[in-house]
Amino acid sequence: MARLPNSRKEETHDRILAVAARALRRQGYAGVGVADVMREAGLTHGGFYAHFASREALIVEALERAARDSGAVVAEAVRACSAHGLSSFRALVESYLSDQHLAALDAGCPVAALAADMPRQPESVRAASSERVRHLVHTVRSTLAPALQSQAFAVASTLVGALQLARALGDNPEGRAALTAARQSLLESFDSASPSR
């Protein structure tokens, strides 16, 4: 089967973004170096500008890629829980505050990985980062019962903060206990009125 003219370039672009999205979550904004990303993607540094106008442009696209990847994990958890009659809110909380998310620094939510550094970024990166925060709040709101939707920002803040603090404690019994406590608190406070989806 013949390749479409741009398919190889698109595949390469996607490979660069996958590497950059992992590096972004693992090492923060400052940890995304063009040379390192290109090397990990199996490419030369010189080919970078065929795909991106600047390092900032790479980071903006990498943020979007990281959000899509982590959003797909949450969406799958919601589908799996719904099949068992559990609420989408429970699925979101249990997925976000899971031991797997605690351990998966390079594959998790970009908001939790980057929130503290978001205000210090150039305007285009700050704008893309703010959009990721708004999207997380929207996702939380969509899982809450109508009477509780005004609490979406508080719930999202608890999710992000609990994950950040647990990661600060480490992927160990203490860090996992912090997640368990936050999970139980959110479910007790908000799950009884959450819709099953």
Side-chain angles (χ1 to χ4, degrees):
M1 189 157 146
R3 276 188 189 270
L4 296 173
N6 288 330
S7 64
R8 184 165 174 81
K9 184 174 182 177
E10 289 168 3
E11 288 171 9
T12 301
H13 190 88
D14 190 58
R15 190 166 75 237
I16 296 167
L17 280 180
V19 169
R22 284 192 308 272
L24 186 62
R25 290 176 286 191
R26 182 178 58 242
Q27 298 170 304
Y29 297 103
V32 179
V34 170
D36 293 334
V37 167
M38 295 299 281
R39 183 174 36 257
E40 189 177 333
L43 302 163
T44 63
H45 181 261
F48 175 79
Y49 292 101
H51 295 276
F52 303 95
S54 66
R55 179 179 172 274
E56 275 183 38
L58 169 66
I59 290 174
V60 167
E61 283 194 52
L63 272 168
E64 293 166 0
R65 170 64 184 262
R68 272 195 319 272
D69 291 350
S70 63
V73 170
V74 170
E76 181 54 38
V78 168
R79 278 191 293 278
C81 283
S82 294
H84 292 96
L86 301 174
S87 72
S88 54
F89 180 77
R90 177 175 289 274
L92 173 66
V93 170
E94 289 184 354
S95 174
Y96 200 97
L97 298 179
S98 68
D99 294 348
Q100 294 80 12
H101 200 186
L102 173 64
L105 186 60
D106 65 349
C109 174
V111 175
L114 303 166
D117 287 333
M118 287 178 177
R120 291 185 278 280
Q121 300 311 305
E123 181 57 37
S124 64
V125 175
R126 235 182 9 259
S129 299
S130 296
E131 185 55 34
R132 301 288 47 94
V133 173
R134 284 190 286 279
H135 187 265
L136 176 62
V137 173
H138 172 76
T139 299
V140 170
R141 185 177 294 116
S142 73
T143 67
L144 289 166
L148 298 173
Q149 289 181 350
S150 64
Q151 298 296 313
F153 189 83
V155 172
S157 299
T158 301
L159 291 170
V160 170
L163 184 61
Q164 288 177 323
L165 291 176
R167 284 180 172 166
L169 293 170
D171 183 11
N172 56 42
E174 189 177 22
R176 289 188 289 277
L179 287 185
T180 298
R183 229 177 10 248
Q184 288 173 342
S185 176
L186 285 172
L187 293 174
E188 287 170 9
S189 297
F190 297 99
D191 192 45
S192 63
S194 290
S196 286
R197 296 179 188 230

